[in-house]
Amino acid sequence: MNFIPPKVIAFGFAAILAVFLLFNTAYRQPSHPSVASRWWRPSITGDVMASTQNSTLGFEKILVLNMPERSDKRDALSLAASLTNLNFDYVDGVIGKTIPSKALPVGQEQRTMPNSTLGSWRAHMNAIRGVVEQNLSSALILEDDADWDIRIKSQLLDFAKGSRFLLNQTVNQQTHSPYGDGWDILWLGFCHDIIPKNDPRTYLIDNDVSIPQPDKMRFNNPELFSQYPNHTRIIHMVGSPICTFGYAVSLQGARKILYALSVKELRGIFDNALSWWCSDHSQDSVCIDAHPSYFYQHRAAGASGKNSDINEGLPPMEKGQTYNIRWSTRLNLEKLVMGQTDFEDSYPDEP
């Protein structure tokens, strides 16, 4: 047997490795940012709010509630996230009838709520418990039918200025969260709210062209927007929000909510219970939201019952729809996939 010097073996191995890397690089497609990134704002080095532009919007994680069998919803949501450069972690939804009665909080031992709403409550609590168990500094929690504007990152940079104002923190003050410190909930996706009388402070975002004109928006308090010019977004402390399309919790907020809405009691369906918790301030809760909100429920085209795992009686949809969002990510998926920028404006301005 001929002896091969170690240097020759090493040289041959290096050559093979170089060829492998060359071909692997040559055949791998480069990663291109989505065309959506054209409407985000460049981060400034040292800017305490710069992380609002990252893949989790300045939170440690984005958690999405999704029933495992609803692969259709996960497909659409994962695509939407990819095309707007967001990163999601999924939390399994819960079938209410699988929850033992003895595992329900005080107030629900007799199963006074339908199984579907109990399942929704438990899924939200599992996500919130995950924040506590993983010791996350914060997390944005979304329901799997949530939709958002292609310009979400720029929108939340403006929101961060408003939340910091309400928390009495300047835009240059060093904080752990880009949204300021001391908040429990940032309620970023809801269907209705009011400005509370006990703290009517507001921060106005003027000339926000991502907002439809008031006569095209769907909300229950039109008198609120009648006080301001078109395209004004109002940041304020929560009054009595309804719906939980999307909300962020801090670690301290998650701990409080896990105690209040599970360990202690459950007074009603999840969004109502969370709203009461914010508004009664029994645990010094600090909850902030924006009008109109940034996340809304998307109703996909398709058969009756397709758009809800709780309310089966919703009518069929011939065309997908999202209220109050102009450049809907869901309604522009094909254009984003194709790299097109002539986005469909669901609520264009009129003279």
Side-chain angles (χ1 to χ4, degrees):
M1 178 181 293
N2 294 328
F3 175 74
I4 302 176
K7 289 184 178 180
V8 174
I9 295 175
F11 178 79
F13 177 78
I16 293 171
L17 179 61
V19 171
F20 171 78
L21 292 175
L22 176 64
F23 276 88
N24 191 46
T25 302
Y27 283 101
R28 180 180 296 168
Q29 293 293 325
S31 177
H32 296 294
S34 166
V35 293
S37 64
R38 298 185 187 184
W39 285 270
W40 303 334
R41 301 180 191 177
S43 299
I44 301 173
T45 303
D47 182 356
V48 296
M49 297 180 292
S51 61
T52 59
Q53 308 299 288
N54 68 21
S55 64
T56 54
L57 300 174
F59 307 105
E60 191 162 350
K61 284 189 176 182
I62 300 178
L63 306 176
V64 178
L65 309 180
N66 171 251
M67 298 295 289
E69 64 269 22
R70 291 307 302 266
S71 55
D72 57 326
K73 288 190 172 185
R74 182 159 177 172
D75 286 351
L77 201 60
S78 293
L79 182 59
S82 174
L83 292 169
T84 49
N85 289 49
L86 298 179
N87 183 46
F88 291 168
D89 288 298
Y90 288 89
V91 176
D92 285 349
V94 176
I95 298 174
K97 65 182 180 182
T98 65
I99 306 171
S101 294
K102 59 186 176 182
L104 295 173
V106 171
Q108 295 301 322
E109 304 98 319
Q110 304 304 315
R111 306 186 82 93
T112 55
M113 293 193 301
N115 280 327
S116 56
T117 53
L118 287 174
S120 172
W121 160 78
R122 188 63 253 173
H124 281 278
M125 296 315 301
N126 286 351
I128 291 167
R129 187 181 67 193
V131 174
V132 174
E133 290 175 339
Q134 298 174 55
N135 206 40
L136 301 179
S137 60
S138 63
L140 173 62
I141 299 171
L142 299 177
E143 296 179 343
D144 64 3
D145 52 5
D147 193 7
W148 56 93
D149 195 286
I150 289 166
R151 298 160 287 191
I152 185 65
K153 294 187 177 183
S154 295
Q155 290 176 328
L156 289 187
L157 179 58
D158 286 333
F159 173 79
K161 298 173 185 176
S163 62
R164 295 173 78 92
F165 168 79
L166 294 173
L167 294 166
N168 298 312
Q169 294 160 17
T170 69
V171 294
N172 297 317
Q173 185 175 339
Q174 289 296 322
T175 55
H176 293 93
S177 167
Y179 302 97
D181 291 339
W183 55 271
D184 294 311
I185 293 181
L186 303 178
W187 209 311
L188 301 176
F190 57 87
C191 44
H192 170 71
D193 195 17
I194 58 174
I195 296 176
K197 293 181 179 179
N198 64 340
D199 189 351
R201 293 177 301 150
T202 58
Y203 178 91
L204 303 181
I205 300 173
D206 300 320
N207 300 314
D208 185 342
V209 295
S210 67
I211 301 173
Q213 292 174 329
D215 61 340
K216 294 189 175 185
M217 283 194 284
R218 292 289 296 265
F219 48 83
N220 295 330
N221 50 347
E223 67 280 356
L224 176 63
F225 288 94
S226 66
Q227 306 171 47
Y228 307 104
N230 287 353
H231 309 305
T232 299
R233 198 182 303 269
I234 309 160
I235 315 299
H236 59 89
M237 308 305 290
V238 305
S240 183
I242 301 172
C243 306
T244 48
F245 307 138
Y247 60 96
V249 294
S250 64
L251 177 58
Q252 68 174 0
R255 289 168 173 166
K256 293 177 182 179
I257 297 164
L258 187 60
Y259 171 75
L261 272 64
S262 182
V263 176
K264 181 183 178 183
E265 63 182 352
L266 180 60
R267 293 188 283 166
I269 62 176
F270 176 74
D271 62 339
N272 286 348
L274 191 64
S275 178
W276 297 330
W277 179 81
C278 278
S279 59
D280 69 19
H281 303 288
S282 59
Q283 293 179 317
D284 299 323
S285 58
V286 179
C287 307
I288 299 172
D289 68 18
H291 248 102
S293 68
Y294 296 99
F295 295 92
Y296 276 88
Q297 180 186 44
H298 175 71
R299 295 180 63 189
S304 174
K306 179 181 179 67
N307 283 293
S308 178
D309 297 312
I310 298 177
N311 300 315
E312 296 293 335
L314 294 177
M317 298 288 293
E318 293 184 9
K319 184 180 186 299
Q321 182 183 61
T322 304
Y323 292 148
N324 300 348
I325 293 181
R326 295 189 64 168
W327 287 3
S328 157
T329 297
R330 301 278 197 137
L331 296 176
N332 281 287
L333 285 178
E334 184 172 3
K335 289 182 180 293
L336 287 166
V337 166
M338 298 304 296
Q340 299 169 0
T341 58
D342 57 330
F343 300 126
E344 176 184 339
D345 187 345
S346 298
Y347 303 97
D349 284 349
E350 293 180 358

